[in-house]
Amino acid sequence: ELKELLISTGRAFVYTTASPEPLAHAALAALTLANDERREQLAANTRRLRAGLWQIGAKLLGSAHIVPVLTGPRTMAVAERLFEAGIYAAGIRYPTVPRGQERVRLTVSSEHTREQINRCIDAFAVALG
């Protein structure tokens, strides 16, 4: 019964798509580095980025440190302009998301500086035109 349960519910650990062991070790190491100061800084950085993007008229989804910015059919052009400005923002387009929900996605870190966040906001203002 245990074997059948694991096969039915633990696919990621049974089949070839399982996460590699080093990834599990990296996740454990990351947990040891996480502390209240870093969590508070991450929250502050997230608020700063989201507020700045909102002020320039960007349409945002969610509320977490992963910041999807709706960009519609011009997603890949926006992502390219950001990349040229030194900002990596993954373009997510149809058919991965429904038409009209195309977006570029940023991930905020506790290690980002105020200057980096401001530069990102400025680059978005230009890229969104």
Side-chain angles (χ1 to χ4, degrees):
E1 287 180 32
L2 178 59
K3 176 184 168 190
E4 289 304 314
L5 176 67
L6 292 174
I7 288 172
S8 297
T9 62
R11 294 181 185 274
F13 297 105
V14 176
Y15 299 105
T16 58
T17 57
S19 299
E21 184 178 348
L23 184 59
H25 287 285
L28 287 172
L31 287 173
T32 64
L33 295 174
N35 58 39
D36 288 342
E37 182 180 336
R38 282 191 168 162
R39 280 188 285 275
E40 290 168 10
Q41 187 60 51
L42 174 60
N45 286 351
T46 301
R47 285 190 302 273
R48 183 175 294 120
L49 179 62
R50 284 180 170 277
L53 290 172
W54 182 80
Q55 286 178 340
I56 64 165
K59 296 176 183 166
L60 310 177
L61 297 175
S63 60
H65 69 286
I66 297 173
V67 183
V69 181
L70 291 176
T71 50
R74 60 189 178 146
T75 290
M76 299 314 290
V78 170
E80 185 175 332
R81 284 189 212 112
L82 291 168
F83 187 76
E84 289 168 357
I87 307 294
Y88 178 73
I92 314 295
R93 58 188 167 178
Y94 175 84
T96 304
V97 296
R99 290 191 195 280
Q101 294 294 306
E102 299 92 347
R103 63 198 69 175
V104 293
R105 185 174 56 205
L106 299 166
T107 302
V108 183
S109 160
S110 63
E111 303 305 308
H112 283 115
T113 65
R114 178 181 287 273
E115 293 76 24
Q116 289 170 325
I117 292 170
N118 290 342
R119 191 166 57 88
C120 181
I121 294 164
D122 292 344
F124 253 100
V126 172
L128 293 174

